[in-house]
Amino acid sequence: MGTAITPQLVDIVDIATAVRSFSSGTSHALRVCQVERWGLRMEYTTPDDPFSDTEITWLLPEHNLRLTQQKPRSRHAKGGPSVLSAVRVLRDGRYWRSTDLLLGLAAPGGAAARIVNSEEFAAAVAGRILRVGNADLAMCTVHRTLEELSRVRHDLSSWLAHKHIFEVWPPY
C-alpha cells in the first residue's frame, strides 16, 4: 500500500479578527494572535481533540518555519514533541498565509530532533502536488534547521536564542 497524497495545506490568519482559516474550510478563533518582531504568535483551544487542549503556533517567516506545540488535556499527561514544519509564509497587510511544505522536524525536549512526514513529502513530490521550488525550500529548511539544532545539542530554547527569539518555548 502506498502513501496517500495529501494536498498542500494552506492556512490564512486574519490578524485584525484573530481568525485562522484552513484550506479544509474550517476556522478557529484565536485566543492569542500577536505580531512579534520575529513573526506571528498564535494560540487556540482544540475542543475536538481528545488529547490536546490547546495548540500554540509561532510562524517564523524569516526561517520558513512554523513551530507548533500541543498542550495536553490532562495535566498529568506528557506533552508531545514540538514540531518545526517547513512553510512558505506570505504577508499581505492584515493577512498571513502559510503553505505547509509537508516536511518537518519533531523536537522532543532532551532528545535528538528527527525528520518527520518524509513519506508524505516524497509522495507529494512524486505526484507533483509539491512543486520543485517548494520541495527544494522544504529540504533546505529542514536540513539546515536540523544541523543548527545539533550544534546546540537539540535544545530548542538555545536554538531560538541563537535566532534572537528570547521568548520561552513552550510558552506554558
Side-chain angles (χ1 to χ4, degrees), residues 98-166:
S98 65
T99 303
D100 190 333
L101 302 180
L102 305 174
L103 192 63
L105 295 169
R114 62 182 166 70
I115 295 175
V116 294
N117 302 328
S118 58
E119 288 182 10
E120 183 179 4
F121 172 79
V125 171
R128 294 191 172 115
I129 290 175
L130 193 60
R131 296 180 189 224
V132 173
N134 282 338
D136 286 344
L137 177 62
M139 290 289 286
C140 290
T141 298
V142 166
H143 286 277
R144 180 196 70 237
T145 304
L146 182 58
E147 182 181 337
E148 291 170 354
L149 276 167
S150 69
R151 284 191 215 132
V152 293
R153 295 183 198 93
H154 299 275
D155 182 326
L156 201 48
S157 295
S158 295
W159 178 81
L160 286 166
H162 177 71
K163 298 293 182 185
H164 305 286
I165 302 170
F166 300 105

Side-chain angles (χ1 to χ4, degrees), residues 22 27-31 43-55 70-71 73:
F22 298 89
S27 61
H28 293 283
L30 299 171
R31 189 163 56 194
E43 183 177 320
Y44 64 92
T45 58
T46 53
D48 297 332
D49 188 322
F51 303 107
S52 73
D53 176 57
T54 304
E55 179 181 296
Q70 303 283 332
K71 181 178 177 186
R73 216 169 258 300

